[in-house]
Amino acid sequence: MIKIIAAAVTAVLVAGCTVVSGSYSSEGYAPIPGSITYGGQPRTKLTKSPIGSSFPHTFTDQTGREVEEIYVIQPDRTLLIVQRHYRPFLAWSRR
């Protein structure tokens, strides 16, 4: 009986896990002022870049923090923000 209960608990725990290998969430991050996609997708399509390729974009947000975002080109040629990093605010930590 204990083995059955342990197997059932293990099955529930394993079923609750989600594994995403090599892909990003479908929604991505919400654009903030300074993002390429803030106010909508860019009008020009990235036709020469391969689908699935990524590129960084660095800007300063409205509070003065430096932000780096990583974009991925979707199959419909729209951009998806997949990562966002805030760089340290203190001057001596910037190099």
Side-chain angles (χ1 to χ4, degrees):
M1 183 68 171
I2 293 175
K3 289 183 180 181
I4 294 172
I5 293 172
V9 169
T10 303
V12 168
L13 292 174
V14 170
C17 298
T18 57
V19 177
V20 179
S21 114
S23 65
Y24 297 101
S25 69
S26 61
E27 295 180 23
Y29 289 89
I32 59 175
S35 297
I36 294 174
T37 57
Y38 184 73
Q41 291 288 329
R43 292 180 188 213
T44 59
K45 300 289 183 183
L46 301 166
T47 57
K48 293 184 180 181
S49 301
I51 293 171
S53 62
S54 62
F55 63 92
H57 172 63
T58 305
F59 61 95
T60 304
D61 69 359
Q62 51 290 53
T63 62
R65 293 184 296 178
E66 195 170 346
V67 181
E68 180 181 30
E69 293 180 334
I70 306 294
Y71 294 86
V72 169
I73 301 173
Q74 298 296 302
D76 62 353
R77 299 293 178 181
T78 59
L79 299 177
L80 176 69
I81 305 170
V82 293
Q83 290 182 8
R84 180 178 291 145
H85 302 283
Y86 291 93
R87 298 216 174 136
F89 187 71
L90 304 172
W92 61 80
S93 60
R94 291 184 186 176
R95 292 190 190 252

